[in-house]
């Protein structure tokens, strides 16, 4: 039986030392991790094959999320090394000022402490999250999903071994909860004495479960019911290409397009154009009766489809009359992740950007860019869909907080 409380307690103890490590020491750990993953590639692929074999009931898109190969392991190693190259946010003085009484006050960037991460499917998350947490001075307690348990288990062990071999700090800075049961997750979510914040990384079901059960603060990183609105002035050929990329380039990711909104004035011309591309790629297109009247490839659906993160080659279409209705539709159906407008009208673009309440709003671009690498953060631990304490891609700076350091020379308060 996994002693989750002990795992979390050891991580908490290690967090105080990790918080004060130099950037050089943290980078040495990261490079050791990348080297060890590279050296143990055969073992990782062997364990990953077990997960793929057990995933026969999953869709091809979900299997793709699980699958590791030489190129993907090389990308994991490259990602860890890239994190080592990033600037260390810990210790950055973000603001200073002096009070009339002579007190010098500084705001200094510090780690959050111990971060718990509960995630689904993709085994590369194990290495990505570990690297980001180490570089930002945070210990991490990882709990992956059952679909990738063998892959996650071997990666977590390799990472911990590499940390130990580096000789810099205890292997407890990266902990792995080897328990995929609901009870295991619940036990982890009760460890508020040791875990400072928890981040769910997966679908809306996971997000809801964590928010309802966690005793510690939650940074909700889940749920990508993403929209694109084709406004009446949009270039239709360009819009079709953007929609295809947003939906098809990697349909299982949280930044993939799920809901397509089309202005009524261009629907008759645009829908056959974009559906022809989607059809060739085997994408199912659902829609309203009105949408079907413009393109017979579209199949009927009920209202529930407009709230779904399909995670596969499935797209839902809805016809709107103007940017105001499009904004209302997005705000009432999205998960506040990534939503965009395709238009030549600057006023429509600015209206959409100002009114849509999502972490990332796009003007004339694919939603697939919502990613720490694409935003220039180097990497990210997830995409926050809430407003506190960070929103959007969670890079190194977003994994820190600030504390006040106050310097005086004997001042007392009157």
């Amino acid at each position: 039986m996994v002693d989750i409380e002990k795992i979390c307690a050891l991580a908490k103890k290690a967090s105080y030392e990790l918080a004060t490590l130099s950037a050089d020491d943290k980078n040495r750990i990261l490079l050791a991790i990348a080297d060890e993953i590279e050296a143990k590639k055969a073992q990782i692929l062997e364990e990953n094959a077990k997960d793929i074999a057990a995933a026969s009931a999953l869709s091809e898109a979900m299997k793709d999320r699980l699958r590791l190969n030489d190129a993907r392991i090389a990308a994991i190693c490259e990602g860890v090394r890239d994190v080592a190259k990033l600037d260390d946010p810990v210790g950055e003085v973000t603001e200073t000022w002096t009070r009339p009484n002579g007190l010098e006050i500084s705001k200094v960037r510090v780690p959050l402490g111990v971060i718990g991460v509960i995630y689904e499917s993709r085994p590369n998350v194990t290495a990505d999250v570990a690297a980001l947490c180490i570089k930002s001075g945070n210990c991490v307690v990882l709990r992956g999903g059952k679909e990738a348990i063998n892959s996650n288990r071997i990666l977590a062990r390799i990472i911990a071994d590499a940390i130990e071999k580096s000789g810099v700090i205890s292997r407890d800075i990266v902990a792995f909860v080897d328990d995929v049961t609901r009870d295991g997750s619940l036990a982890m979510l009760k460890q508020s004495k040791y875990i400072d914040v928890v981040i769910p990384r997966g679908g809306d079901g996971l997000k809801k479960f964590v928010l309802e059960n966690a005793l510690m603060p939650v940074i909700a990183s889940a749920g990508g019911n993403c929209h694109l609105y084709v406004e009446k002035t949009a270039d239709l050929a360009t819009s079709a290409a953007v929609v295809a990329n947003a939906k098809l380039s990697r349909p299982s990711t949280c930044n993939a397009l799920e809901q397509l909104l089309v202005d009524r004035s261009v629907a008759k011309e645009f829908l056959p154009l974009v559906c022809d591309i989607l059809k060739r790629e085997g994408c199912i297109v659902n829609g309203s009766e009105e949408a079907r009247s413009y393109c017979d490839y579209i199949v009927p659906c009920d209202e529930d489809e407009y709230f779904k993160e399909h995670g596969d080659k499935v797209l839902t279409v809805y016809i709107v009359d103007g940017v105001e209705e499009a904004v209302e539709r997005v705000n009432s159906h999205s998960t506040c992740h990534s939503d965009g407008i395709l238009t030549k009208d600057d006023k429509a673009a600015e209206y959409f950007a100002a009114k849509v309440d999502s972490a990332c709003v796009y003007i004339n671009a694919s939603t697939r860019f919502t990613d720490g690498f694409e935003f220039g953060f180097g990497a990210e631990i997830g995409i926050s869909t809430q407003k506190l304490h960070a929103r959007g891609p969670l890079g190194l700076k977003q994994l820190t907080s600030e504390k006040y350091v106050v310097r005086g020379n004997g001042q007392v308060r009157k």
Side-chain angles (χ1 to χ4, degrees), residues 259-273:
Q259 311 293 336
L260 175 62
L261 306 179
V262 181
D263 199 273
R264 183 168 286 113
S265 63
V266 296
K268 184 177 181 180
E269 183 179 357
F270 179 72
L271 285 177
L273 174 66

Side-chain angles (χ1 to χ4, degrees), residues 1 72 76 83 93 118 166 274 376 393 402:
M1 185 175 178
R72 288 185 178 181
I76 289 172
V83 171
V93 178
I118 300 179
S166 74
V274 73
E402 291 176 324

Side-chain angles (χ1 to χ4, degrees), residues 398-412:
Q398 289 74 31
L399 297 179
T400 64
S401 182
E402 291 176 324
K403 71 179 178 184
Y404 293 92
V405 178
V406 184
R407 294 179 173 84
N409 55 8
Q411 286 92 334
V412 295

Side-chain angles (χ1 to χ4, degrees), residues 209-221:
F209 173 79
V210 171
L211 286 169
E212 289 178 349
N213 291 282
L215 297 185
M216 67 287 288
V218 177
I219 301 178
S221 173

Side-chain angles (χ1 to χ4, degrees), residues 17-31 83-91 134-137 168 396:
E17 184 179 356
L18 177 58
T20 60
L21 281 190
S22 68
D24 287 344
D25 280 340
K26 289 185 285 189
N27 292 340
R28 188 170 8 138
I29 294 169
L30 293 176
L31 295 177
V83 171
K85 297 174 186 176
L86 297 174
D87 292 337
D88 187 350
V90 178
I134 291 169
K135 187 61 182 269
S136 58
V168 175
L396 290 175

Side-chain angles (χ1 to χ4, degrees), residues 41 45 48 64 66-76:
K41 178 175 67 174
L45 291 176
N48 181 247
D64 182 61
L66 282 176
R67 188 172 289 110
L68 293 175
N69 52 34
D70 288 355
R72 288 185 178 181
I73 291 177
I76 289 172

